[in-house]
Amino acid sequence: MDLKVENGCIKEDKGLGWGKSLPVQSVQEIVRNGYQSVPERYIQEIKDRPSSISSESLQASLQIPIIDFSLLAKGDEHETRKLDLACKEWGFFQIRNHGVQVKILQKMKAAMAAFFELPLMEKKKFAMGANDLEGYGQAYVVSEEQKLDWCDLVALKTLPLEQRNLNFWPLNLPGFKEAVEEYSIEVQKVAEEINANLSILMGMERDGLKRYQGELKQLMRMNYYPPCSSPDLVVGVSPHSDGGSLTVLLQDDDIIGLQIKHKGEWIPVKPIPNALVVNIGDAIEIMSNGVYKSIEHRAITNEKKARISAAAFAYVDDELEIGPLDSMVDDPHRPPMYKKIKYIDYIRQVLARKMDGKAHTDLVKIQT
């Protein structure tokens, strides 16, 4: 149990209930303290290092799909087809004209930067609890031996508003709460519109997924990737797929860090100024019976400049049983490919292990 003092009273933090992550040293502080070489726990096995990426010519020729969100929201058939293809073949796409004002994006980036520039002792006031994954620290650290990511983060449950735990919010940091709150509400509207379009593509009414899933909740993970003197030895985030329904990512406009695995090769996602990156999560892959793919992705670092990003994870209620939707099952041509599982059980299974590509969805696939 974690106890925190709030308004002079001792309050118990119940946490997300998804699991926990072991505390480790701040990577930002390792860099600030002038390290001589990359600590051993951050040096990846040779097979996992970002130096083993696809050829430069292949990287230059491939780009994830780009969708005009304003047209998609109006029911444009061409953009709807692009969404369908993007979710089937890529699992990732960028959206332009998404309706989130540039000043809101800029305020969000400024709020993240301000938090990570706080002194370490100030950030530690918002550290993850012993049995929680919300707060400041690192995620997916499940053993003292595993290799670590070159990244610090703060994870906050942002929606619904009444379920936020403000113990983890730096309320004394000017503008932070307002910026995160405003951005989280706007980006959730984007996720809900994409969800509505996916409902139609999966053979339901616009509100089909909403009726099945209920109101989507949101967890915001804010990442700080310090520069690294040997970026070919480390990864910012290990290869993984996301456990939720949809993820909407706000990234730096001028630094390439995100890579996705496409047809066996690592492809960089080139930032488009003021665009958002969207990817399909494991829950949608399961509900679509494998038609739409949650794709393995990772983050890399660079020698010169720190990089920040914000991933807004839209996810279903913990108690919802997820499985292939009736509209996506067609026996005998396309029988159910995934077992039904309660979402809380699935996400605990995901977070109890080190990030490991697509291993989590493999565990719920029906073996034929």
Side-chain angles (χ1 to χ4, degrees), residues 6 18 82 215 238 280 308 310 325:
E6 185 177 311
W18 288 354
K82 283 171 64 176
E215 292 287 344
S238 298
I280 297 298
I308 58 173
L325 298 171

Side-chain angles (χ1 to χ4, degrees), residues 126 156-158 164-171 177 180:
F126 313 104
L156 301 173
K157 187 170 185 179
T158 38
R164 294 175 304 173
N165 186 341
L166 295 180
N167 288 320
F168 294 111
W169 292 59
L171 299 180
K177 178 175 178 288
V180 174

Side-chain angles (χ1 to χ4, degrees), residues 104-116 173 176 179 308:
I104 292 176
L105 303 179
Q106 292 173 339
K107 283 168 61 178
M108 181 63 187
K109 290 179 180 180
M112 290 191 289
F115 175 82
F116 286 111
L173 185 61
F176 181 91
I308 58 173

Side-chain angles (χ1 to χ4, degrees), residues 173-187:
L173 185 61
F176 181 91
K177 178 175 178 288
E178 293 77 12
V180 174
E181 207 168 71
E182 190 173 24
Y183 174 74
S184 67
I185 291 170
E186 290 301 308
V187 82

Side-chain angles (χ1 to χ4, degrees), residues 26 28-29 31-32 109-123 136 152 154 170 173 176 223-227 305-308:
S26 161
Q28 188 177 9
E29 290 305 303
V31 175
R32 278 179 173 172
K109 290 179 180 180
M112 290 191 289
F115 175 82
F116 286 111
E117 284 307 308
L118 290 172
L120 179 62
M121 293 310 296
E122 185 66 21
K123 286 182 289 198
Y136 170 69
D152 292 342
V154 58
L173 185 61
F176 181 91
N223 306 296
Y224 181 89
Y225 304 99
K305 191 175 180 181
R307 174 177 168 265
I308 58 173

Side-chain angles (χ1 to χ4, degrees), residues 154-227:
V154 58
L156 301 173
K157 187 170 185 179
T158 38
L159 292 173
L161 294 176
E162 63 271 15
Q163 292 185 18
R164 294 175 304 173
N165 186 341
L166 295 180
N167 288 320
F168 294 111
W169 292 59
L171 299 180
N172 292 329
L173 185 61
F176 181 91
K177 178 175 178 288
E178 293 77 12
V180 174
E181 207 168 71
E182 190 173 24
Y183 174 74
S184 67
I185 291 170
E186 290 301 308
V187 82
Q188 192 75 341
K189 295 176 185 176
V190 172
E192 288 170 354
E193 179 60 36
I194 293 170
N195 220 32
N197 279 272
L198 290 177
S199 291
I200 295 171
L201 289 169
M202 285 196 271
M204 299 179 288
E205 300 294 327
R206 269 183 64 89
D207 65 347
L209 275 174
K210 185 175 182 178
R211 284 188 285 109
Y212 176 76
Q213 298 173 321
E215 292 287 344
L216 289 173
K217 300 181 180 183
Q218 186 190 83
L219 181 78
M220 190 79 67
R221 170 175 161 155
M222 292 162 258
N223 306 296
Y224 181 89
Y225 304 99

